[in-house]
Amino acid sequence: MDKELLLSILPEVEKPARYLGNEWNSVHKDHSKVSLKVALAFPDTYEVGMSHLGIKILYHLINQRDSWVAERVFAPWMDMEAKMREYNIPLYAMESQRPIKEFDLVGFTLQYEMSYTNILNMLDLAGIPLFQKDRNDSDPLIVAGGPCAYNPEPLADFIDFFYIGEAEEMIESILEVVEKARSQGWKRKELLFHLATMPGIYVPSLYGVKYDKNGKVVEVKPKEAGVPEYVQKQVVADLDKTFYPDKFIVPFLETVHDRVVLEIARGCTRGCRFCQAGMIYRPVRERSIKTLKEQAKKLLDNTGYDEISLVSLSTSDYSGIERLTKELLDEYEGLGVGISLPSLRIDSFSVGLAKEVQRVRKTGLTFAPEAGTQRMRNVINKGVTEKDLIEAASAAVEEGWSSIKLYFMLGLPTEKDEDLVGIAELAKKVLAKCDQIRRRNGTRPVKITVSVSNFVPKPHTPFQWEPMNSLEEIERKQALLKREVRGRGLSLSWHDAKLSIMEGIFSRGDRRLGQVLYTAWKKGAKFDGWSEHFNYDIWMEAFDQCDLDFEFYLEFPYGRDDILPWGHIHTGVSQEYLWDEYQKAIFGENTVDCRFEYCTKCDCCMNLNVAIKLLGAE
């Protein structure tokens, strides 16, 4: 890398600090003194990628070992990419500014289906062959993990191997194998075969897929003896003892989440039937309060941040949440360090908790009833009532909040127009009650924001068999909501229907979508998750050119005995449980949370040999 050239370019691009790599706590090693080089790649901008906890954990975990180095690479924004292509600058890792093509392994984090074209763009900028079949022994291995890896098939043509599960559990074992292979001169094919025999690893090139005349997947099978038929998710059994960094890189520019992050728990068993995270991250495992307080002290000392975010899929479900927040506030309030709780239940307890953490600074309040009628909330197993929401909102206004955001979804299975009207009616009831309190207390007017996303069926959930609403149907429902959700104190926001359609296609798609992805990228698709850069027409042209019917992927309802494109990836949650939950959804029956009631027989603990651990209450 010509550093003088780079420095001459940076003043000409937006936010040059995105590309410097010399932030506080970044790790710089002499490449001539390490035996393994790993590039941790995030297929979006620096600000988004630097907010991702997984990258923080892996970066410091790998760099613990003197003989290994991990560096970061993010998708360059449009202006920077143009300059890089103009001056033939290959995609480089931030710390050493060496081309990522020189690394042994490039690991992509898959958080969102609409980042897939950025992966192709980054490989192209790096000078690495896009298709895994075209790479040779001198090219880095391309690995991917994260929630979207639970349906790896749309990216099968481009990724050498996927890791399914929590990376802390296997990352060192995987890198030791790659290091050994490099030192002993193994051929790429030999290394990939060896990796395929390790727990949690899926090498798509070693599996064959067959389709019937209608385009349905009818078989996914290993091509060679010794390659497992199924790939089982790997999890950390004891979260309290697993590695967690004691320092974070401190960016020079504001990122999406720019604060100390304490992961208080992993997994959720609330059982919301649309929620993929609630199924693939089971079982629930908590860190102890003692461990979390130690981590908070080290991270604050090493970063200088003035905010701690307590994160998990449902923060207020952490069994020691009251004690933990009180003790952290007592210790750090005087230093001006605030606490944030990003995910709260709909109840007065959560409002009280939110009030407690506002001692240092006040933020907005968001509740997620998800559906407007009780029938619909029973279908999705949300487990909250209209009374719960009104009481929680009332408590919030009593405590001084004047702005509340409510999250809903449209397009859920069995949904009728009356369920959508129910969203508007529920929001109006909440507003009326809040207004009543506001007038009594003489406080300022209350504002209710209704935010509505579009339901996308996800693999490994009870709704994985369900088709998705068509574009026309989503737009009709959005129009209905625009008519119903109006009036003083009410506002409505909604998601781009076309963007959701593409997410739905790739969420449940199969291996054939790789050619559509490649064609769309060739036509200019990238940063598709950014609505200002998403071009629906490009994708429709790509489907036409590849002679694939996009409606097939949206509207095809899978049956109980159908082979699912992602069926060879096992999360620990049994298909029998998911199907039973699907049937219960149709009849509007609820399922309890196994943390607080009894085992619901999802089989996760048994299949993964891991137990629920609620250490916060100890």
Side-chain angles (χ1 to χ4, degrees):
M1 165 66 71
D2 184 337
K3 294 190 177 180
E4 288 190 8
L5 174 61
L6 180 63
L7 290 174
S8 71
I9 288 171
L10 290 181
E12 300 178 28
V13 302
E14 182 185 349
K15 299 182 181 179
R18 286 169 167 167
Y19 312 104
L20 292 175
N22 56 352
E23 310 97 312
W24 183 253
N25 290 331
S26 58
V27 178
H28 298 258
K29 292 185 181 179
D30 183 344
H31 279 216
S32 68
K33 295 179 180 176
V34 298
S35 54
L36 192 76
K37 301 181 284 292
V38 180
L40 298 173
F42 196 93
D44 210 311
T45 62
Y46 175 91
E47 295 94 312
V48 179
M50 282 297 291
S51 304
H52 184 247
L53 180 59
I55 291 266
K56 297 177 198 287
I57 293 173
L58 289 178
Y59 181 82
H60 292 287
L61 174 58
I62 296 170
N63 278 319
Q64 274 195 138
R65 200 173 292 202
D66 291 340
S67 59
W68 296 349
V69 63
E71 301 190 10
R72 297 159 295 148
V73 59
F74 304 96
W77 193 241
M78 306 288 190
D79 55 353
M80 184 61 175
E81 181 191 338
K83 291 291 181 188
M84 291 171 72
R85 291 193 186 278
E86 180 183 350
Y87 292 100
N88 293 318
I89 298 174
L91 188 66
Y92 60 89
M94 291 189 64
E95 285 80 357
S96 65
Q97 296 176 352
R98 287 176 174 271
I100 66 167
K101 186 177 170 58
E102 295 180 4
F103 283 64
D104 298 294
L105 189 143
V106 178
F108 282 97
T109 297
L110 307 179
Q111 296 295 313
Y112 181 34
E113 291 84 353
M114 299 316 294
S115 69
Y116 289 175
T117 50
N118 278 7
I119 294 174
L120 271 58
N121 204 46
M122 290 171 75
L123 291 174
D124 183 65
L125 264 175
I128 298 170
L130 267 59
F131 292 92
Q132 40 93 352
K133 66 181 175 56
D134 296 331
R135 294 179 199 131
N136 58 39
D137 293 338
S138 66
D139 291 314
L141 287 166
I142 308 300
V143 56
C148 293
Y150 285 82
N151 178 15
E153 292 307 298
L155 285 173
D157 291 342
F158 312 103
I159 303 296
D160 292 310
F161 72 96
F162 292 87
Y163 176 70
I164 310 299
E166 297 166 353
E168 303 103 312
E169 184 66 11
M170 285 292 294
I171 185 68
E172 291 178 277
S173 300
I174 293 169
L175 295 186
E176 284 167 0
V177 169
V178 176
E179 183 180 35
K180 181 180 176 182
R182 293 297 195 209
S183 67
Q184 297 185 0
W186 292 10
K187 294 293 183 188
R188 192 179 193 86
K189 188 175 178 183
E190 182 184 4
L191 171 56
L192 286 172
F193 180 84
H194 188 96
L195 288 169
T197 63
M198 295 176 68
I201 292 185
Y202 173 57
V203 180
S205 60
L206 297 180
Y207 292 76
V209 181
K210 291 182 179 175
Y211 307 87
D212 69 10
K213 62 181 181 182
N214 298 316
K216 280 173 52 181
V217 172
V218 293
E219 182 180 286
V220 182
K221 277 200 168 181
K223 294 176 181 175
E224 299 181 29
V227 176
E229 194 169 349
Y230 302 107
V231 178
Q232 178 76 63
K233 175 185 84 171
Q234 301 299 297
V235 296
V236 171
D238 190 343
L239 193 66
D240 203 45
K241 292 180 179 170
T242 196
F243 173 83
Y244 199 76
D246 58 13
K247 58 184 70 170
F248 289 164
I249 294 174
V250 183
F252 290 139
L253 73 164
E254 186 177 359
T255 57
V256 177
H257 301 297
D258 197 9
R259 59 187 74 109
V260 162
V261 176
L262 284 186
E263 187 191 28
I264 60 176
R266 204 172 283 182
C268 176
T269 43
R270 285 278 170 187
C272 299
R273 292 173 177 133
F274 59 84
C275 180
Q276 187 187 47
M279 298 296 162
I280 65 175
Y281 292 127
R282 291 182 178 209
V284 174
R285 292 142 293 152
E286 295 180 346
R287 285 194 166 94
S288 68
I289 289 178
K290 177 175 179 292
T291 298
L292 291 166
K293 289 177 68 178
E294 289 172 355
Q295 291 174 350
K297 182 175 188 326
K298 289 177 181 174
L299 285 164
L300 289 170
D301 287 348
N302 289 327
T303 61
Y305 278 124
D306 63 358
E307 184 176 353
I308 301 171
S309 182
L310 306 181
V311 302
S312 75
L313 289 173
S314 179
T315 302
S316 48
D317 281 334
Y318 176 70
S319 59
I321 191 64
E322 280 184 290
R323 183 184 150 203
L324 176 64
T325 51
K326 181 178 186 309
E327 292 186 9
L328 287 174
L329 282 165
D330 288 348
E331 190 161 353
Y332 297 112
E333 183 181 3
L335 299 174
V337 175
I339 308 288
S340 63
L341 307 170
S343 55
L344 292 173
R345 291 196 310 258
I346 301 176
D347 56 25
S348 301
F349 167 79
S350 295
V351 174
L353 200 59
K355 182 196 172 194
E356 184 71 8
V357 303
Q358 309 291 315
R359 278 199 251 159
V360 179
R361 62 181 66 92
K362 202 173 187 73
T363 59
L365 202 57
T366 299
F367 296 119
E370 314 286 3
T373 61
Q374 193 58 49
R375 186 194 76 80
M376 206 64 246
R377 288 191 291 274
N378 290 343
V379 167
I380 61 177
N381 200 41
K382 185 60 185 176
V384 297
T385 64
E386 178 179 300
K387 181 170 176 284
D388 295 330
L389 178 61
I390 291 177
E391 285 182 354
S394 301
V397 175
E398 292 279 13
E399 296 295 348
W401 271 275
S402 60
S403 178
I404 297 172
K405 184 177 282 189
L406 303 178
Y407 275 128
F408 296 92
M409 282 186 289
L410 68 72
L412 287 160
T414 78
E415 182 180 77
K416 301 171 183 173
D417 283 358
E418 63 203 50
D419 297 307
L420 297 172
V421 172
I423 290 175
E425 291 176 345
L426 183 58
K428 289 172 182 172
K429 285 180 185 174
V430 170
L431 179 62
K433 182 64 180 177
C434 292
D435 250 350
Q436 195 178 50
I437 296 167
R438 190 268 303 176
R439 284 194 293 274
R440 187 192 68 209
N441 294 346
T443 52
R444 55 185 174 176
V446 176
K447 180 182 177 185
I448 303 292
T449 301
V450 176
S451 178
V452 182
S453 63
N454 307 312
F455 166 69
V456 174
K458 294 286 185 177
H460 306 287
T461 69
F463 293 154
Q464 65 182 346
W465 290 278
E466 271 282 319
M468 184 172 167
N469 279 178
S470 67
L471 176 62
E472 294 73 21
E473 182 66 355
I474 292 174
E475 290 179 337
R476 185 191 70 79
K477 290 178 175 179
Q478 288 180 336
L480 186 155
L481 281 172
K482 289 172 193 173
R483 291 194 299 273
E484 296 291 332
V485 182
R486 57 172 57 184
R488 182 184 57 80
L490 280 178
S491 64
L492 173 70
S493 63
W494 59 92
H495 285 202
D496 186 324
K498 291 177 178 174
L499 197 55
S500 297
I501 289 291
M502 293 311 305
E503 181 186 347
I505 290 171
F506 279 90
S507 171
R508 295 198 314 155
D510 56 45
R511 195 172 286 200
R512 295 172 301 173
L513 288 178
Q515 56 184 309
V516 177
L517 185 60
Y518 176 72
T519 305
W521 169 75
K522 289 285 284 181
K523 289 177 174 291
K526 56 189 164 188
F527 282 106
D528 295 286
W530 296 67
S531 55
E532 66 267 38
H533 294 293
F534 173 66
N535 187 330
Y536 186 69
D537 292 339
I538 282 182
W539 286 97
M540 292 300 101
E541 290 169 14
F543 271 98
D544 281 345
Q545 195 167 320
C546 297
D547 198 24
L548 278 177
D549 179 8
F550 78 95
E551 292 180 339
F552 166 83
Y553 290 98
L554 285 176
E555 298 171 12
F556 180 78
Y558 286 107
R560 173 69 181 87
D561 298 323
D562 283 334
I563 303 294
L564 302 172
W566 53 90
H568 50 298
I569 305 298
H570 286 192
T571 67
V573 176
S574 69
Q575 291 297 297
E576 290 74 18
Y577 170 81
L578 294 177
W579 182 261
D580 287 347
E581 283 295 295
Y582 183 32
Q583 300 310 300
K584 289 172 77 173
I586 293 170
F587 293 104
E589 297 175 15
N590 286 318
T591 296
V592 299
D593 185 334
C594 63
R595 264 176 302 190
F596 312 118
E597 303 282 344
Y598 48 83
C599 175
T600 54
K601 298 186 174 8
C602 76
D603 296 338
C604 181
C605 294
M606 178 183 69
N607 288 333
L608 301 178
N609 194 28
V610 175
I612 291 174
K613 287 195 174 183
L614 305 180
L615 300 184
E618 294 180 357

